[in-house]
Amino acid sequence: MTSEASVALARQSLTAARSRGALHFARRHKLLVVSGSIIAAYVLAAVIGPYVTPHDPFESHAGLNFHGPSSTYWFGNDKEGRDIFSRLLYGTRYTLIGGFSVVGIAALGGFVYGLLTAYIGGWFDRISMRVFDLVLSIPPLVLAIMLVASFGPGLVPVVVGVGIGYLPAIARIIRSEALVQRSQQYVAAGRGLGYSAPRVVFRHIMPNCTSQIIVQVSMNLPYAIIDIAGLGFFGFGVQPPTPDWGSMLAEGQQDLLFAPWMVIFPGIAVTGLVLCWNIFGARLRHALDPTTY
């Protein structure tokens, strides 16, 4: 057998092994795969939604005020005659951007700060813990409202406020994991070899805390989405006429009795996404837990 044939056979064997591994993983974690697929559909809708809406989400259609679902307007029309499906699809982007931005701020800040407090320790750790206690005593929604009161309504102050509110909880979890890793022999060996503190923290301790941050992001994202939608419901987030799921719920609840579709479809969108993220986060935590194997 020639060397080229051996290489080709080895590649085929590796591809087959990977396929069998992926199939085994999918069978073992069905809920993880199903919920992840639905989340991917939401993300796809957020990316391409504004470009594939069947109607202009801002256009009012005369005579179609409170028009129910039909073959032309799948989710019906709102009080101004605008297509609810198009507005829902368009607003997916802002809801997901808000949720991902919240957990991005919390995860990045909490990850770095948690690592540093665990490694440095001493007075820095004690002061940091008291700061965390102070921030944790203020609900994230209150922080967001405080920023909105200072800078005006909009997605940015809402995201920053909620993200800061989530940061201490993630930092505490990362700190706990980093304290465990700091006591390991490989950290002592790195110090003995004269490695700098940043190298020990970010090159050696950090990779061993990565699974924790992945789990925390997946577990916190549903709550971030609910917070973003809730603040949008009260008018603090994305401002009209730009649609987002929270503001659509606020518009629909005023006419719930004779136009329930204005609330039902945005409510299903929020509930479906949050439910899938909760399932995904729980199953991902199970999949990354080495004691389950």
Side-chain angles (χ1 to χ4, degrees):
M1 182 179 294
T2 63
S3 59
E4 291 81 0
S6 300
V7 170
L9 182 61
R11 288 178 176 174
Q12 291 177 358
S13 301
L14 180 60
T15 302
R18 287 176 175 174
S19 300
R20 288 193 298 270
L23 184 61
H24 175 72
F25 182 86
R27 288 175 177 173
R28 186 181 178 91
H29 304 286
K30 295 184 181 68
L31 286 176
L32 178 65
V33 174
V34 172
S35 59
S37 300
I38 297 174
I39 291 169
Y42 272 97
V43 173
L44 180 63
V47 173
I48 68 173
Y51 308 105
V52 298
T53 53
H55 303 279
D56 186 344
F58 301 97
E59 181 182 358
S60 298
H61 301 276
L64 293 179
N65 307 69
F66 299 116
H67 189 268
S70 64
S71 58
T72 304
Y73 302 98
W74 298 342
F75 291 176
N77 300 77
D78 62 11
K79 61 183 178 182
E80 296 183 14
R82 297 171 299 192
D83 180 37
I84 293 177
F85 176 75
S86 298
R87 290 178 63 78
L88 193 67
L89 200 59
Y90 192 92
T92 304
R93 168 173 297 187
Y94 295 99
T95 302
L96 284 184
I97 286 176
F100 279 113
S101 299
V102 165
V103 296
I105 292 172
L108 181 60
F111 196 39
V112 173
Y113 206 47
L115 288 173
L116 293 178
T117 54
Y119 187 81
I120 297 174
W123 64 268
F124 182 75
D125 185 31
R126 291 191 295 271
I127 293 177
S128 298
M129 289 302 100
R130 301 296 75 78
V131 172
F132 291 165
D133 292 338
L134 176 62
V135 177
L136 285 172
S137 67
I138 306 174
L141 292 180
V142 175
L143 284 174
I145 293 173
M146 291 169 59
L147 287 180
V148 168
S150 301
F151 300 101
L155 188 61
V156 173
V158 164
V159 164
V160 173
V162 178
I164 292 174
Y166 280 26
L167 190 153
I170 294 180
R172 279 180 174 273
I173 294 172
I174 298 301
R175 171 182 173 272
S176 300
E177 182 65 24
L179 285 173
V180 174
Q181 297 299 326
R182 190 182 69 173
S183 62
Q184 300 299 317
Q185 292 296 324
Y186 72 88
V187 175
R191 289 171 174 170
L193 291 172
Y195 293 164
S196 63
R199 179 174 180 177
V200 173
V201 171
F202 294 108
R203 192 168 180 179
H204 299 282
I205 296 179
M206 185 175 72
N208 292 289
C209 301
T210 303
S211 62
Q212 280 290 339
I213 200 65
I214 293 174
V215 170
Q216 289 305 310
V217 166
S218 64
M219 296 294 287
N220 279 281
L221 188 56
Y223 302 103
I225 291 172
I226 292 175
D227 288 343
I228 293 297
L231 289 165
F233 180 87
F234 290 110
F236 296 121
V238 177
Q239 297 300 293
T242 304
D244 79 314
W245 294 351
S247 61
M248 291 180 68
L249 286 170
E251 293 173 358
Q253 62 93 24
Q254 300 175 3
D255 307 298
L256 178 61
L257 293 180
F258 55 91
W261 55 86
M262 292 179 60
V263 173
I264 290 174
F265 294 113
I268 290 175
V270 174
T271 303
L273 181 57
V274 171
L275 177 62
C276 287
W277 266 114
N278 277 320
I279 295 173
F280 183 80
R283 301 312 299 176
L284 181 63
R285 182 176 183 178
H286 177 77
L288 294 177
D289 187 355
T291 62
T292 60
Y293 292 92

